[in-house]
Amino acid sequence: DDIKNGVDFVLEINKPDGLSFSAMCIDATFGKPDDKLERVRREIDNGQLAEVRYFHRQKNDGQPAFHGRLSQIPRVILSLDLPSLIDLSGLMENSISDNKEKAKIAKRDLASHPVQILFLRQIKEQLEVYTDYAKHSPKEKAGSVVAPLEGLRQIMEKILDDKLRTGKFIGARLN
């Protein structure tokens, strides 16, 4: 879905009932995000958030839970400088290494990497700005996306607070 819909990843956030989830589209970049941010503004003005055509969600046991289209999903743009991207790429590669010790060290380093906080803050701040923009937009349709944006902002604020307090993510998974 990256080329047509501008979605590199979907972040799933499990809800306490274990059956449902919230989702967020992530568009990653290490360049200037101006065009990507303009796309988000247009989506909000039109009352149409991001769409993912080919989404697959699995249960914890690996069985399919959902296959199909997601729509009205808030989009955020995550930006990272090139040296940090290279560092993370190396850690990701090592985390799936056949060398179990190398993989273990890389997974530990990923679990505590400071970029996690950077990304969480970027997400939270963007959702705050998007929600405020939707509330005050002169475009009539923008008001229809306030609830999903605000709901996701509250969830991400809690995840950030939990991460800062405990050092762990609770209930989030990338797809």
Side-chain angles (χ1 to χ4, degrees):
D1 276 282
D2 183 32
I3 295 172
K4 184 173 188 302
N5 295 319
V7 176
D8 293 309
F9 306 101
V10 174
L11 177 68
E12 297 176 53
I13 302 134
N14 297 323
K15 293 190 176 175
D17 64 14
L19 301 173
S20 59
F21 66 99
S22 292
M24 170 188 348
C25 294
I26 297 175
D27 192 354
T29 186
F30 62 92
K32 288 194 169 216
D34 297 347
D35 291 342
K36 295 172 185 278
L37 291 168
E38 176 60 24
R39 180 181 192 158
V40 173
R41 186 197 60 76
R42 282 193 316 271
E43 289 173 345
I44 292 170
D45 283 345
N46 294 328
Q48 293 290 326
L49 299 178
E51 177 180 86
V52 177
R53 282 194 158 158
Y54 307 104
F55 182 74
H56 304 274
R57 182 172 198 258
Q58 294 181 333
K59 298 177 186 173
N60 289 338
D61 64 4
Q63 295 298 312
F66 178 83
H67 174 76
R69 183 179 294 223
L70 296 177
S71 58
Q72 289 298 86
I73 308 297
R75 174 194 317 271
V76 296
I77 292 91
L78 296 182
S79 182
L80 191 62
D81 61 87
L82 193 54
S84 296
L85 180 63
I86 292 168
D87 180 44
L88 279 178
S89 297
L91 288 172
M92 291 294 291
E93 181 179 347
N94 290 341
S95 75
I96 59 172
S97 172
D98 291 335
N99 179 326
K100 291 185 191 245
E101 186 60 28
K102 187 177 189 178
K104 181 180 175 183
I105 292 167
K107 287 177 184 177
R108 183 200 64 215
D109 291 349
L110 282 168
S112 62
H113 202 287
V115 77
Q116 293 179 18
I117 301 300
L118 173 71
F119 285 161
L120 287 171
R121 286 188 171 139
Q122 285 181 13
I123 292 167
K124 181 179 166 269
E125 289 170 7
Q126 284 179 50
L127 290 169
E128 287 172 349
V129 169
Y130 298 164
T131 302
D132 189 57
Y133 177 77
K135 285 178 180 176
H136 299 96
S137 173
K139 306 287 185 176
E140 186 176 315
K141 292 180 180 179
S144 68
V145 298
V146 170
L149 291 168
E150 177 60 23
L152 192 56
R153 185 206 58 78
Q154 290 174 6
I155 291 168
M156 294 310 297
E157 184 171 53
K158 181 173 181 355
I159 290 173
L160 176 58
D161 290 346
D162 288 346
K163 179 66 178 172
L164 290 171
R165 192 178 75 257
T166 68
K168 297 180 181 171
F169 283 115
I170 300 167
R173 174 173 67 189
L174 270 183
N175 244 342

